[in-house]
Amino acid sequence: MQGPQPRLPRWDSLSVSGAWPILRSILHPAPPHSTATGVTAFVLLDILLVVVLARLLGTLANRFGQPRAVGEIIAGILLGPTLIGHDLSFFIAPREARPALSAIATLALVLFMFLVGVEFDRSMVKGRQGQAVVLGLLSVAIPVAAGVPVAVWMHRSRYAGPNGASLLPFVLFVGACLSVTALPVIAHVLLERGELNTRVGGIGLAASGVASVAMFSCVGLASVVTGVGGFGPFLVKLLLIVLTGVGARFLIRPVLRRVLRRNRPWGGAPSSDDMTVVFAGLLLSALVADRLGVNAMVGAFAWGVVIPADPGLRRAVADRLSDAARVLLLPVFFAYSGLFTDLRLLTPSVFPVLVGVLVVAVATKLVAALPARLYGMTWREAGALGALMNTRGLVLLVVGLIGLNLHVITQAAFTIFVVVALATNLMTGPLLDLLGRRGEPVEPSFAQVAALTESSHSR
């Protein structure tokens, strides 16, 4: 006698009662505050949305002659409150999931800037270190000086926060915002255009690194003035920054060269132990830079430059990190920052101040690049250098958020700086195309040669 047959689920019951809850839990998981699993689900979903949307809009930006970073920034803004409002923005990226996204965004920036340092051809600034230092400092000093009358003009309760009621901290923060040069976005633009190792690209990237250190030092001074710390701690940090730079150049690099060449020939592929040393040094360098107030991205870039000029080692690091850093993680950094941008705060009464700040921001960066003529650059190259240094990207948002959290500037002032960041990013590509740089021909870097070789073999 045959036993009872197992009862199979009906298709309509499976589709309605089974499939839809599963699909709904994937599209919008349970509230993340309930379990750690909920937070994980939201983080994975948000990264999926960000990567896909950033890729689509980045490709669209390229079609219009803009750097991919512009599309990635816009992707973040689309997921923020500007167009969809605060409620829907927090529905997509809940408050509980944002700390995890913030950590991933920071790691993305650190890995990308390290990759830029690894692929940076130091021979392009060999013998021109002094030029990079002078041009980098000028690109900060001139905007800061021009920021004094701008800050005096803006110094009222609409733009100055409670801790900005005193003129000096407000002037310093406005000057710091005007002096921002976005090192990661410049690197992004140069890599996409294949111009990282041109003369202008090399000097521009090195000068932007110097400018980043000087600008974050200005932010530190402004923080000190607002009463966050004292002049003693600030001077100690400044001294430590100098000592760290000298130690990296004359102590860490020779030791690192010996350690990484201990068990392999020059140009050979690195072992897992070698890569462990490289990545551990990267994280330590980023951590030290962050604790010194310089920003982790500067430490990551510096570590990439410190890595020995071993083609096998540098090629292996670039190959292993390239897709993960540029395609998966970097869009998270751009998009995460966009989640906190709300352009609805712009009103007609803000427009005159916005235009004034934008004009001063652009003009001072172009003027600061003119001394490049004294170093043998053509007018076109000097103009292209100014266009690169004028790129502010989301680094300006980072500086603005520091001032906002310290209550030195208001939300209205922050909104102005957001627009300045977007506008200067949008004009970088057209300015470089208009200037039609005709610099000195240079040999491609190992990364470019490897890419060309790989593409020729795949045809």
Coordinates of all heavy atoms in Angstrom, one line a residue, residues 9-73:
P9 N 3.7 22.6 -2.7 CA 3.1 23.9 -2.6 C 2.5 24.4 -3.9 O 3.0 24.0 -5.0 CB 4.3 24.8 -2.2 CG 5.5 24.1 -2.7 CD 5.2 22.7 -2.6
R10 N 1.4 25.0 -3.8 CA 0.7 25.6 -5.0 C 1.6 26.7 -5.6 O 2.2 27.5 -4.8 CB -0.7 26.1 -4.7 CG -1.6 25.0 -4.3 CD -2.9 25.5 -3.8 NE -3.5 26.5 -4.8 CZ -4.5 27.3 -4.5 NH1 -5.1 27.2 -3.3 NH2 -4.9 28.2 -5.4
W11 N 1.6 26.9 -6.9 CA 2.4 27.9 -7.5 C 1.9 29.3 -7.1 O 2.7 30.2 -6.8 CB 2.3 27.8 -9.0 CG 2.9 29.0 -9.8 CD1 2.3 29.9 -10.5 CD2 4.3 29.3 -9.8 NE1 3.2 30.8 -11.0 CE2 4.4 30.5 -10.6 CE3 5.4 28.7 -9.2 CZ2 5.7 31.1 -10.8 CZ3 6.7 29.3 -9.5 CH2 6.8 30.5 -10.2
D12 N 0.6 29.5 -7.0 CA 0.1 30.9 -6.7 C 0.5 31.2 -5.3 O 0.8 32.3 -4.9 CB -1.4 31.0 -6.9 CG -2.2 30.0 -6.1 OD1 -1.5 29.0 -5.6 OD2 -3.4 30.1 -6.0
S13 N 0.4 30.2 -4.4 CA 0.8 30.4 -3.0 C 2.3 30.7 -2.9 O 2.7 31.5 -2.1 CB 0.5 29.2 -2.1 OG 1.0 29.3 -0.8
L14 N 3.1 30.0 -3.7 CA 4.6 30.2 -3.7 C 4.9 31.6 -4.2 O 5.7 32.3 -3.6 CB 5.2 29.1 -4.5 CG 6.8 29.2 -4.7 CD1 7.4 29.1 -3.3 CD2 7.3 28.2 -5.7
S15 N 4.2 32.0 -5.2 CA 4.5 33.3 -5.9 C 4.1 34.5 -5.0 O 4.8 35.5 -4.9 CB 3.9 33.4 -7.2 OG 2.5 33.3 -7.1
V16 N 3.0 34.3 -4.3 CA 2.5 35.4 -3.5 C 3.0 35.4 -2.1 O 3.6 36.4 -1.6 CB 0.9 35.4 -3.5 CG1 0.4 36.5 -2.6 CG2 0.4 35.6 -4.9
S17 N 2.9 34.3 -1.5 CA 3.3 34.2 -0.1 C 4.8 34.0 0.2 O 5.3 34.3 1.2 CB 2.5 33.1 0.6 OG 1.1 33.4 0.5
G18 N 5.4 33.4 -0.8 CA 6.8 33.0 -0.7 C 7.8 33.9 -1.4 O 8.7 34.5 -0.8
A19 N 7.6 34.1 -2.7 CA 8.5 34.8 -3.5 C 8.5 36.3 -3.2 O 9.6 37.0 -3.1 CB 8.2 34.6 -5.0
W20 N 7.3 36.9 -3.0 CA 7.2 38.4 -2.8 C 7.9 38.8 -1.5 O 8.6 39.8 -1.5 CB 5.8 38.8 -2.9 CG 5.6 40.3 -2.4 CD1 4.9 40.7 -1.4 CD2 6.2 41.4 -3.0 NE1 5.0 42.1 -1.3 CE2 5.8 42.5 -2.3 CE3 7.1 41.6 -4.1 CZ2 6.2 43.8 -2.6 CZ3 7.5 42.9 -4.5 CH2 7.1 44.0 -3.7
P21 N 7.7 38.1 -0.4 CA 8.4 38.6 0.8 C 9.9 38.5 0.7 O 10.6 39.3 1.2 CB 7.9 37.6 1.9 CG 6.5 37.2 1.4 CD 6.7 37.1 -0.1
I22 N 10.4 37.4 0.0 CA 11.8 37.3 -0.3 C 12.3 38.5 -1.1 O 13.3 39.1 -0.8 CB 12.2 36.0 -0.9 CG1 11.8 34.8 0.0 CG2 13.6 35.9 -1.3 CD1 12.0 33.5 -0.6
L23 N 11.6 38.8 -2.2 CA 11.9 39.9 -3.1 C 11.9 41.2 -2.3 O 12.8 42.0 -2.5 CB 11.0 39.9 -4.3 CG 11.3 41.0 -5.3 CD1 12.7 40.8 -5.9 CD2 10.2 41.0 -6.4
R24 N 10.8 41.4 -1.5 CA 10.7 42.6 -0.8 C 11.8 42.8 0.2 O 12.4 43.9 0.4 CB 9.4 42.6 -0.1 CG 9.1 43.9 0.7 CD 7.7 43.9 1.3 NE 7.6 42.8 2.3 CZ 6.5 42.5 2.9 NH1 5.3 43.1 2.6 NH2 6.4 41.4 3.7
S25 N 12.3 41.7 0.8 CA 13.3 41.8 1.8 C 14.7 42.1 1.2 O 15.6 42.7 1.8 CB 13.5 40.4 2.6 OG 13.9 39.4 1.7
I26 N 14.8 41.7 -0.1 CA 16.0 42.1 -0.9 C 16.0 43.5 -1.3 O 17.0 44.2 -1.1 CB 16.2 41.2 -2.1 CG1 16.4 39.7 -1.7 CG2 17.3 41.7 -3.0 CD1 16.4 38.7 -2.8
L27 N 14.9 44.0 -1.8 CA 14.8 45.4 -2.3 C 14.8 46.4 -1.1 O 15.3 47.5 -1.2 CB 13.5 45.5 -3.1 CG 13.4 44.8 -4.4 CD1 12.1 45.0 -5.1 CD2 14.6 45.2 -5.3
H28 N 14.2 46.0 0.0 CA 14.2 46.9 1.2 C 14.2 46.0 2.4 O 13.1 45.6 2.9 CB 13.1 47.9 1.2 CG 13.3 49.0 2.2 ND1 12.8 48.9 3.5 CD2 14.0 50.1 2.1 CE1 13.2 50.0 4.1 NE2 13.9 50.8 3.3
P29 N 15.3 45.7 3.0 CA 15.4 44.8 4.2 C 14.7 45.4 5.4 O 14.2 46.5 5.4 CB 16.9 44.7 4.4 CG 17.6 45.1 3.2 CD 16.6 46.2 2.6
A30 N 14.6 44.6 6.4 CA 14.0 45.0 7.7 C 14.7 46.2 8.3 O 15.9 46.4 7.9 CB 14.0 43.8 8.7
P31 N 14.1 47.0 9.1 CA 14.8 48.1 9.7 C 16.1 47.7 10.3 O 16.2 46.7 11.1 CB 13.8 48.6 10.8 CG 12.5 48.1 10.3 CD 12.7 46.8 9.6
P32 N 17.2 48.4 10.0 CA 18.5 48.0 10.3 C 18.8 48.0 11.8 O 19.7 47.4 12.3 CB 19.5 48.9 9.6 CG 18.6 50.2 9.4 CD 17.2 49.7 9.2
H33 N 18.0 48.8 12.6 CA 18.3 48.9 14.0 C 17.9 47.6 14.8 O 18.3 47.4 15.9 CB 17.5 50.1 14.6 CG 16.0 50.0 14.4 ND1 15.2 49.2 15.1 CD2 15.3 50.7 13.6 CE1 14.0 49.4 14.7 NE2 14.0 50.3 13.8
S34 N 17.2 46.7 14.1 CA 16.7 45.5 14.7 C 17.8 44.5 14.9 O 18.0 43.9 15.9 CB 15.5 44.9 14.0 OG 15.9 44.6 12.6
T35 N 18.6 44.3 13.9 CA 19.7 43.3 13.9 C 20.9 43.8 13.1 O 20.8 44.7 12.2 CB 19.2 42.0 13.3 OG1 18.9 42.2 11.9 CG2 18.0 41.4 14.0
A36 N 22.0 43.2 13.4 CA 23.2 43.5 12.6 C 23.1 43.0 11.2 O 23.6 43.6 10.2 CB 24.4 42.8 13.2
T37 N 22.3 42.0 11.0 CA 22.0 41.5 9.6 C 21.3 42.5 8.8 O 21.5 42.7 7.6 CB 21.2 40.2 9.7 OG1 21.9 39.2 10.5 CG2 21.0 39.6 8.3
G38 N 20.4 43.3 9.4 CA 19.7 44.3 8.7 C 20.6 45.4 8.2 O 20.5 45.9 7.1
V39 N 21.6 45.8 9.1 CA 22.6 46.8 8.7 C 23.4 46.3 7.5 O 23.6 47.0 6.5 CB 23.5 47.2 9.8 CG1 24.6 48.1 9.4 CG2 22.7 47.8 11.0
T40 N 23.8 45.0 7.6 CA 24.6 44.4 6.5 C 23.8 44.4 5.2 O 24.4 44.8 4.1 CB 25.0 43.0 6.8 OG1 25.8 43.0 8.0 CG2 25.8 42.4 5.7
A41 N 22.5 44.1 5.2 CA 21.7 44.0 4.0 C 21.6 45.4 3.4 O 21.7 45.6 2.2 CB 20.3 43.5 4.4
F42 N 21.4 46.4 4.2 CA 21.3 47.8 3.7 C 22.6 48.3 3.1 O 22.6 48.9 2.1 CB 20.8 48.7 4.8 CG 19.3 48.9 4.9 CD1 18.6 48.3 5.9 CD2 18.7 49.8 4.0 CE1 17.2 48.5 5.9 CE2 17.3 49.9 4.0 CZ 16.6 49.3 5.0
V43 N 23.7 48.0 3.7 CA 25.0 48.4 3.2 C 25.2 47.8 1.8 O 25.6 48.4 0.9 CB 26.1 48.0 4.2 CG1 27.5 48.2 3.5 CG2 26.0 48.9 5.5
L44 N 25.0 46.4 1.7 CA 25.2 45.8 0.4 C 24.2 46.3 -0.6 O 24.6 46.5 -1.8 CB 24.9 44.3 0.6 CG 25.9 43.5 1.5 CD1 25.5 42.1 1.7 CD2 27.3 43.6 0.9
L45 N 23.0 46.6 -0.3 CA 22.0 47.1 -1.2 C 22.4 48.5 -1.7 O 22.4 48.9 -2.8 CB 20.6 47.2 -0.6 CG 19.5 47.8 -1.4 CD1 19.3 47.1 -2.7 CD2 18.2 47.9 -0.7
D46 N 22.9 49.4 -0.7 CA 23.3 50.7 -1.0 C 24.5 50.7 -1.9 O 24.6 51.5 -2.9 CB 23.6 51.5 0.2 CG 22.3 51.8 1.0 OD1 21.2 51.7 0.4 OD2 22.4 52.0 2.2
I47 N 25.5 49.8 -1.7 CA 26.7 49.8 -2.5 C 26.3 49.3 -3.9 O 26.8 49.9 -4.9 CB 27.7 48.8 -1.9 CG1 28.3 49.4 -0.6 CG2 28.8 48.5 -2.9 CD1 29.2 48.4 0.1
L48 N 25.4 48.4 -4.0 CA 24.9 47.9 -5.3 C 24.3 49.1 -6.1 O 24.6 49.4 -7.3 CB 23.8 46.8 -5.2 CG 23.1 46.4 -6.4 CD1 24.0 45.8 -7.4 CD2 22.0 45.4 -6.1
L49 N 23.4 49.9 -5.4 CA 22.8 51.0 -6.1 C 23.8 52.1 -6.5 O 23.8 52.6 -7.6 CB 21.7 51.7 -5.2 CG 20.5 50.9 -4.9 CD1 19.6 51.6 -3.8 CD2 19.7 50.7 -6.1
V50 N 24.7 52.3 -5.6 CA 25.7 53.4 -5.9 C 26.6 53.0 -7.1 O 26.9 53.8 -8.0 CB 26.6 53.6 -4.6 CG1 27.8 54.4 -4.9 CG2 25.7 54.4 -3.6
V51 N 27.1 51.7 -7.0 CA 28.0 51.3 -8.1 C 27.4 51.3 -9.5 O 27.9 51.8 -10.4 CB 28.6 49.9 -7.8 CG1 29.3 49.3 -9.0 CG2 29.5 50.0 -6.6
V52 N 26.1 50.8 -9.5 CA 25.4 50.8 -10.8 C 25.1 52.2 -11.3 O 25.3 52.5 -12.5 CB 24.2 49.9 -10.7 CG1 23.3 50.0 -12.0 CG2 24.5 48.4 -10.4
L53 N 24.5 53.0 -10.4 CA 24.1 54.3 -10.8 C 25.4 55.2 -11.1 O 25.3 56.0 -12.1 CB 23.3 55.0 -9.7 CG 22.7 56.4 -10.0 CD1 21.7 56.2 -11.2 CD2 22.0 56.9 -8.8
A54 N 26.4 55.0 -10.4 CA 27.6 55.8 -10.6 C 28.3 55.4 -12.0 O 28.8 56.3 -12.7 CB 28.7 55.6 -9.5
R55 N 28.2 54.1 -12.3 CA 28.7 53.7 -13.6 C 27.9 54.2 -14.7 O 28.5 54.7 -15.7 CB 28.7 52.1 -13.6 CG 29.6 51.6 -14.7 CD 31.1 51.9 -14.5 NE 31.9 51.4 -15.6 CZ 33.2 51.6 -15.6 NH1 33.8 52.2 -14.7 NH2 33.9 51.2 -16.7
L56 N 26.6 54.2 -14.6 CA 25.8 54.7 -15.7 C 26.0 56.2 -15.9 O 26.2 56.7 -17.0 CB 24.3 54.4 -15.4 CG 23.9 52.9 -15.4 CD1 22.4 52.8 -14.9 CD2 24.1 52.3 -16.8
L57 N 25.9 57.0 -14.8 CA 26.1 58.4 -14.9 C 27.5 58.8 -15.2 O 27.7 59.8 -15.9 CB 25.6 59.1 -13.6 CG 24.1 58.9 -13.3 CD1 23.8 59.7 -12.0 CD2 23.3 59.4 -14.5
G58 N 28.5 58.0 -14.8 CA 29.9 58.3 -15.2 C 30.1 58.1 -16.6 O 30.8 58.9 -17.3
T59 N 29.5 57.1 -17.2 CA 29.6 56.9 -18.7 C 28.9 58.0 -19.4 O 29.4 58.5 -20.4 CB 28.9 55.5 -19.0 OG1 29.6 54.5 -18.3 CG2 29.0 55.2 -20.5
L60 N 27.7 58.4 -18.9 CA 27.0 59.5 -19.5 C 27.8 60.8 -19.4 O 27.9 61.6 -20.4 CB 25.6 59.7 -18.8 CG 24.7 60.8 -19.4 CD1 24.3 60.4 -20.9 CD2 23.5 60.9 -18.6
A61 N 28.5 61.0 -18.3 CA 29.3 62.2 -18.2 C 30.5 62.2 -19.2 O 30.8 63.2 -19.8 CB 29.9 62.3 -16.8
N62 N 31.1 61.0 -19.4 CA 32.1 60.9 -20.4 C 31.6 61.2 -21.8 O 32.3 61.8 -22.6 CB 32.7 59.5 -20.4 CG 33.8 59.3 -19.4 OD1 34.0 58.2 -18.9 ND2 34.4 60.4 -18.9
R63 N 30.4 60.8 -22.1 CA 29.8 61.1 -23.4 C 29.7 62.6 -23.7 O 29.8 63.1 -24.8 CB 28.4 60.6 -23.5 CG 28.3 59.0 -23.4 CD 28.6 58.4 -24.8 NE 28.6 56.9 -24.7 CZ 27.5 56.2 -24.9 NH1 26.3 56.8 -25.2 NH2 27.5 54.9 -24.8
F64 N 29.6 63.4 -22.6 CA 29.5 64.9 -22.7 C 30.8 65.5 -22.5 O 30.9 66.7 -22.2 CB 28.4 65.4 -21.8 CG 27.0 65.1 -22.2 CD1 26.4 64.0 -21.7 CD2 26.4 66.0 -23.1 CE1 25.1 63.7 -22.1 CE2 25.1 65.7 -23.5 CZ 24.4 64.6 -23.0
G65 N 31.9 64.8 -22.5 CA 33.2 65.3 -22.3 C 33.6 65.7 -20.9 O 34.6 66.4 -20.7
Q66 N 32.9 65.1 -19.9 CA 33.2 65.4 -18.5 C 33.9 64.2 -17.9 O 33.7 63.1 -18.3 CB 31.9 65.7 -17.8 CG 31.2 67.0 -18.2 CD 32.0 68.2 -17.8 OE1 32.7 68.2 -16.8 NE2 31.8 69.3 -18.5
P67 N 34.7 64.5 -16.8 CA 35.3 63.3 -16.1 C 34.3 62.5 -15.5 O 33.2 63.0 -15.1 CB 36.2 64.0 -15.1 CG 35.7 65.4 -14.9 CD 35.1 65.8 -16.3
R68 N 34.6 61.2 -15.4 CA 33.6 60.3 -14.8 C 33.2 60.7 -13.3 O 32.1 60.4 -12.9 CB 34.2 58.9 -14.8 CG 33.3 57.8 -14.3 CD 33.9 56.4 -14.5 NE 34.1 56.1 -15.9 CZ 33.2 55.6 -16.7 NH1 32.0 55.3 -16.2 NH2 33.5 55.3 -17.9
A69 N 34.2 61.3 -12.6 CA 33.9 61.8 -11.3 C 32.7 62.7 -11.2 O 31.9 62.6 -10.2 CB 35.1 62.5 -10.7
V70 N 32.4 63.5 -12.2 CA 31.2 64.3 -12.2 C 30.0 63.5 -12.2 O 29.0 63.8 -11.4 CB 31.2 65.2 -13.5 CG1 29.9 66.0 -13.6 CG2 32.4 66.2 -13.4
G71 N 29.9 62.4 -13.0 CA 28.7 61.6 -12.9 C 28.6 60.8 -11.6 O 27.5 60.6 -11.1
E72 N 29.7 60.5 -11.0 CA 29.7 59.8 -9.7 C 29.2 60.7 -8.6 O 28.5 60.3 -7.7 CB 31.0 59.2 -9.4 CG 31.4 58.1 -10.4 CD 32.9 57.7 -10.3 OE1 33.7 58.4 -9.7 OE2 33.2 56.6 -10.8
I73 N 29.6 62.0 -8.7 CA 29.1 62.9 -7.7 C 27.6 63.1 -7.8 O 26.8 63.2 -6.9 CB 29.8 64.3 -7.8 CG1 31.3 64.1 -7.5 CG2 29.2 65.4 -7.0 CD1 32.1 65.3 -7.7

